Amino acid sequence: MGELKKPAFLPLQIISIVAIVLLSTAPPRCAAFNPRMLFLVKPDPIVLRDHGGALLTGNLTVNLLFYGRFAPAQRAIVADFVRSLSAAPRHPVAAPTVASWWRTTSLYRGGGARVALGRQVLDERMSLGRGPLSPGNVTALARAAGHHRGAVTAVLTAADVAVAPFCVSRCGIHGRDRGGAHGRARYTYLWAGNPARQCPGQCAWPFHQPLHGPQAPPLVPPNGDVGADGMVISLAALLAGTVTNPYGDGYYQGEDAGAGLEAATACAGIFGSGAYPGYPGKLLTDPDTGASYNAVGLGGRKYLLPALWDPTTSQCRTLV
């Protein structure tokens, strides 16, 4: 296998590990510490500044590249999520929908993107090996899967595939590169890993106890798969970041485009109203399985999706 060099043009937008929300959760040395006390001090509103760059709007195709072995059921969980982003269930449901979650991105400049599922590519033989894969390898995989304007490729790695930044500081990344005949055409991609084996306490919370911070019993994942359901949380956050800050000059907080908070990472750890460190917030519960969720997709499939920053209120918007 020839060495795939890291492209010179590889700025990355980072989605921090789910545990980023726990960075400030180390309790003071006081036996009576109560996380709910955090609400006694009203935090400053989060502001993601619009830096004026191009956003992904209009019709957007999401291609999925499954790297390594994924069970058919796992692939279906992910594919159904993507299909549900811009398509409401055929029959009315009482719960919020995946499409209603995605509509928050339409509140950003440009009106958002209408998403359709594109190609599903299987690389079960792991063409670049089991890893550790570098960020450059991820870009190469996205490029090899095909890229064109109006599309984003999601590179999804299996539970036993190592990726250089995985679990150390990230659950996934989204980035951009240039391609085409003259290397001038910009395209976007993202990567998310299945955290079930390597770091469920970091990238599958709240379906697994967190590695650090307040400890609470894990929630039952809505599709019965800690890894796949955890990966959907990362994928959802990354897609929201991709459409609202695709090229590093869209919406983000801070001066560093590569490390600034974005649409979902600004609300890390928040899934429902009343969330606080170690508690994901008010959620819905499936009466048959006891699983926790906050959105329903096509075919009645349930998901737990992160809160998104609402530019009209400068607050984290939850579904429940």
Side-chain angles (χ1 to χ4, degrees), residues 155-293:
V155 178
L156 307 173
T157 50
D160 59 347
V161 174
V163 180
F166 193 34
C167 300
V168 177
S169 61
R170 310 171 192 174
C171 297
I173 55 176
H174 76 82
R176 70 270 187 190
D177 200 2
R178 292 186 182 270
H182 303 287
R184 297 177 181 176
R186 296 190 297 183
Y187 67 92
T188 58
Y189 64 91
L190 64 86
W191 156 73
N194 183 328
R197 297 184 188 178
Q198 300 180 52
C199 51
Q202 295 167 303
C203 297
W205 185 84
F207 304 131
H208 191 281
Q209 284 190 303
L211 192 62
H212 304 290
Q215 299 294 306
L219 303 181
V220 178
N223 294 287
D225 191 310
V226 170
D229 281 305
M231 189 165 60
V232 166
I233 292 174
S234 295
L235 175 61
L238 290 163
L239 281 173
T242 297
V243 299
T244 58
N245 188 28
Y247 306 115
D249 53 5
Y251 285 83
Y252 64 88
Q253 183 186 58
E255 299 301 322
D256 185 352
L261 297 177
E262 296 182 328
T265 52
C267 305
I270 301 175
F271 296 90
S273 59
Y276 57 82
Y279 171 61
K282 179 182 178 180
L283 302 174
L284 302 174
T285 303
D286 187 311
D288 296 323
T289 65
S292 297
Y293 68 100

Side-chain angles (χ1 to χ4, degrees), residues 15-302:
I15 172 177
S16 300
I17 55 175
V18 173
I20 188 173
V21 74
L22 303 178
L23 289 178
S24 61
T25 64
R29 296 182 180 179
C30 168
F33 173 73
N34 182 353
R36 294 182 183 273
M37 294 288 286
L38 296 174
F39 286 102
L40 295 178
V41 178
K42 185 177 180 180
D44 294 332
I46 299 170
V47 177
L48 304 188
R49 187 163 67 90
D50 181 3
H51 293 74
L55 308 185
L56 299 186
T57 60
N59 294 327
L60 179 69
T61 299
V62 175
N63 300 315
L64 302 176
L65 190 160
F66 293 95
Y67 188 88
R69 291 190 176 276
F70 285 85
Q74 293 177 317
R75 298 198 301 268
I77 291 169
V78 176
D80 286 348
F81 164 68
V82 175
R83 288 191 184 98
S84 301
L85 287 170
S86 295
R90 293 182 179 180
H91 304 289
V93 294
T97 64
V98 173
S100 64
W101 172 83
W102 184 248
R103 277 198 294 272
T104 299
T105 63
S106 69
L107 301 176
Y108 288 68
R109 174 172 50 83
R114 181 173 179 80
V115 175
L117 178 65
R119 300 173 61 204
Q120 296 186 63
V121 181
L122 305 184
D123 189 351
E124 294 185 329
R125 295 186 177 182
M126 295 172 285
S127 57
L128 300 183
R130 199 178 297 276
L133 303 181
S134 68
N137 293 148
V138 172
T139 308
L141 287 169
R143 186 188 304 114
H147 56 82
H148 59 85
R149 188 172 183 177
V152 56
T153 294
V155 178
L156 307 173
T157 50
D160 59 347
V161 174
V163 180
F166 193 34
C167 300
V168 177
S169 61
R170 310 171 192 174
C171 297
I173 55 176
H174 76 82
R176 70 270 187 190
D177 200 2
R178 292 186 182 270
H182 303 287
R184 297 177 181 176
R186 296 190 297 183
Y187 67 92
T188 58
Y189 64 91
L190 64 86
W191 156 73
N194 183 328
R197 297 184 188 178
Q198 300 180 52
C199 51
Q202 295 167 303
C203 297
W205 185 84
F207 304 131
H208 191 281
Q209 284 190 303
L211 192 62
H212 304 290
Q215 299 294 306
L219 303 181
V220 178
N223 294 287
D225 191 310
V226 170
D229 281 305
M231 189 165 60
V232 166
I233 292 174
S234 295
L235 175 61
L238 290 163
L239 281 173
T242 297
V243 299
T244 58
N245 188 28
Y247 306 115
D249 53 5
Y251 285 83
Y252 64 88
Q253 183 186 58
E255 299 301 322
D256 185 352
L261 297 177
E262 296 182 328
T265 52
C267 305
I270 301 175
F271 296 90
S273 59
Y276 57 82
Y279 171 61
K282 179 182 178 180
L283 302 174
L284 302 174
T285 303
D286 187 311
D288 296 323
T289 65
S292 297
Y293 68 100
N294 59 8
V296 176
L298 297 179
R301 192 185 287 278
K302 299 176 177 65

